[in-house]
């Protein structure tokens, strides 16, 4: 839902394990009603460290990215922010990832970041689907607990390396953890009833609930071209799901309900994070949010897991199949890494380049799922996959047209 699509928003989801990769996952659309207030604060607030939401990490995501130029009173330009509050690098700033310097060569640095994101995401997809292929593994809650705990460890380590500290309140982290853990848990449970490739296709539809919430809550309007793109995406998802029904003996409608519920939770989570963590006077960093939200989420998951009596069964299974725990923690680390690479791409090269890599990541994740874990292909899978590709390409085209229109309007205003 990381909440690392793990497909890291982007509209949404570091959902962590669904990072969707749920993630995760990588910027979310800002809420229209808050734009004026946010812009006013940004003009006086100190520069914040790069941050993006958990919902954004869920490797996962079709999202809307926006850039801003703000003029301060002195006439100097403020930092330009991209997806979910990630600041663009200052002129001459050294490129880094995980605190390590990248090569001076622009092309080589881009290849490292793009390759790191794609490699981590594909490793995440292969390991996570591999866990569900282990005989007798039906422990979505156990997977979610191990994932959130791993995210906590990764976030805490990165905070230690960067000298970061907690800025948001424990109350907000308590609320956020309900959303992030709930969305991740539903995504992981859904994998017991859906093929992994179908889950990835569903996570690509994150833009649909985001559009719906924007219309219903803040009264935002979209033109017919944007609705057409969403309709093509829905058609692709329906076809792909019907292909799953025809080829997967484990398919059950509850899987669709769970993954749809996870998408809605992601959309709510994205707005909550935007307001309380990233678009505020003292914004938090991504590693801070992942660290503390994952810590609390781990305890949220442990309490019902132990009370249900399933803990002993899950642990016994993991002791019998000793690869379970290393695989879960391994794909969680890869999900966290993939999101970090994406955030660095946004910072140093721009949101458009990052969106292209994220879309390629989803496509390759579906392809590798069919290669490593063969499934019975049918025309519905192929037609659904083609529709998703068309919708993604059309969405990029519409974003490009909007960007050109904004640049033309800005040029005309300054002329």
């Amino acid at each position: 839902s990381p909440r690392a699509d793990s497909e890291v928003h982007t509209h949404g989801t570091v959902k962590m394990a669904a990072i969707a990769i749920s993630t995760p996952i990588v910027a979310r659309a800002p809420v229209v009603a808050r734009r004026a207030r946010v812009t006013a604060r940004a003009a006086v607030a100190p520069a914040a460290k790069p941050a993006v939401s958990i919902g954004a990490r869920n490797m996962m995501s079709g999202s809307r990215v926006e850039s801003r130029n703000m003029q301060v009173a002195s006439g100097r330009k403020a930092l330009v922010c991209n997806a979910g509050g990630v600041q663009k690098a200052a002129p001459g700033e050294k490129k880094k990832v995980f605190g390590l310097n990248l090569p001076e060569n622009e092309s080589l640095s881009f290849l490292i970041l793009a390759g790191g994101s794609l490699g981590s995401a594909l490793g995440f997809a292969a390991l996570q689907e591999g866990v569900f292929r282990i005989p007798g593994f039906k422990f979505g809650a156990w997977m979610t607990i191990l994932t959130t705990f791993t995210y906590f460890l990764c976030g805490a380590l990165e905070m230690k390396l960067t000298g970061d500290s907690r800025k948001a309140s424990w109350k907000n982290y308590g609320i956020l953890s309900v959303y992030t853990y709930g969305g991740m848990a539903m995504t992981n449970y859904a994998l017991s009833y859906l093929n992994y490739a179908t889950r990835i296709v569903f996570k690509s539809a994150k833009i649909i609930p985001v559009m719906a919430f924007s219309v219903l809550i803040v009264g935002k309007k979209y033109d017919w071209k944007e609705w057409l793109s969403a309709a093509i995406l829905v058609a692709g998802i329906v076809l792909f799901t019907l292909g799953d029904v025809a080829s997967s003996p484990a398919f059950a409608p509850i899987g669709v309900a769970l993954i749809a519920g996870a998408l809605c939770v992601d959309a709510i989570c994205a707005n909550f994070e935007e307001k309380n963590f990233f678009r505020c006077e003292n914004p938090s960093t991504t590693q801070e949010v992942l660290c503390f939200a994952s810590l609390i989420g781990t305890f949220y998951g442990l309490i019902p897991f132990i009370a249900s009596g399933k803990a002993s069964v899950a642990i016994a299974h993991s002791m019998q199949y000793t690869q379970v725990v290393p695989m879960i923690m391994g794909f969680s680390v890869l999900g966290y890494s993939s999101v970090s690479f994406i955030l660095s791409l946004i910072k140093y090269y721009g949101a458009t380049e990052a969106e292209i890599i994220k879309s390629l990541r989803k496509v390759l994740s579906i392809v590798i799922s069919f290669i490593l874990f063969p499934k019975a292909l049918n025309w519905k899978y192929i037609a659904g996959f083609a529709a998703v590709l068309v919708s993604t390409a059309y969405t990029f085209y519409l974003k490009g047209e909007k960007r050109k229109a904004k640049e033309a309007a800005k040029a005309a205003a300054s002329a």
Side-chain angles (χ1 to χ4, degrees), residues 32-103:
V32 175
R34 293 200 302 268
R35 281 183 180 167
R37 187 163 72 247
V38 168
T39 304
R41 284 182 186 155
V44 297
K49 295 180 181 178
V52 74
S53 75
I54 289 185
R57 293 198 179 235
N58 272 7
M59 299 192 145
M60 349 145 192
S61 19
S63 52
R64 182 174 177 188
V65 177
E66 212 169 277
S67 299
R68 298 183 183 182
N69 259 330
M70 295 172 292
Q71 199 78 16
V72 295
S74 63
R76 290 176 292 122
K77 292 211 171 178
L79 289 175
V80 179
C81 289
N82 280 317
V86 178
Q87 291 181 351
K88 294 183 74 172
E93 180 180 346
K94 294 279 290 184
K95 296 181 179 64
K96 292 185 177 183
V97 63
F98 304 119
L100 302 175
N101 291 327
L102 292 169

Side-chain angles (χ1 to χ4, degrees), residues 31 37 40-41 80 185 200-202 237 258 406:
V31 177
R37 187 163 72 247
R41 284 182 186 155
V80 179
I200 296 173
V201 170
F202 260 96
I237 292 169
L258 285 168
K406 285 182 180 180

Side-chain angles (χ1 to χ4, degrees), residues 110-231:
F110 180 82
L111 287 176
I112 291 174
L113 294 175
S117 176
L118 291 173
S120 297
L122 295 179
F124 173 96
L127 286 175
Q128 189 177 55
E129 183 166 8
V131 171
F132 281 93
R133 298 284 176 149
I134 295 174
F137 186 86
K138 295 287 183 181
F139 308 106
W142 179 228
M143 172 183 279
T144 307
I145 290 168
L146 289 174
T147 299
T148 54
F149 181 67
T150 304
Y151 280 132
F152 158 67
L153 293 178
C154 291
L157 177 60
E158 190 169 359
M159 286 185 70
K160 180 70 173 177
L161 293 174
T162 59
D164 198 8
S165 60
R166 181 177 61 85
K167 304 174 190 68
S169 69
W170 285 111
K171 175 184 176 182
N172 282 337
Y173 276 122
I175 297 172
L176 177 65
S177 298
V178 173
Y179 296 138
T180 56
Y181 184 86
M184 191 194 307
M186 284 191 284
T187 298
N188 288 339
Y189 276 123
L191 287 175
S192 298
Y193 307 101
L194 299 174
N195 274 330
Y196 192 84
T198 304
R199 194 220 73 170
I200 296 173
V201 170
F202 260 96
K203 297 301 285 187
S204 300
K206 193 172 293 184
I207 186 63
I208 295 173
V210 169
M211 290 175 70
F213 278 111
S214 296
V215 171
L216 296 175
I217 296 175
V218 300
K220 186 173 182 178
K221 294 184 179 180
Y222 296 92
D223 62 32
W224 68 270
K225 294 178 181 179
E226 291 171 300
W227 287 116
L228 175 61
S229 178

Side-chain angles (χ1 to χ4, degrees), residues 5 12 22 56 89 150 155 168 177 373 378 393 398 410:
D5 157 273
S22 320
T150 304
S177 298
F373 307 99
N378 55 59
L398 293 178
K410 188 181 296 184

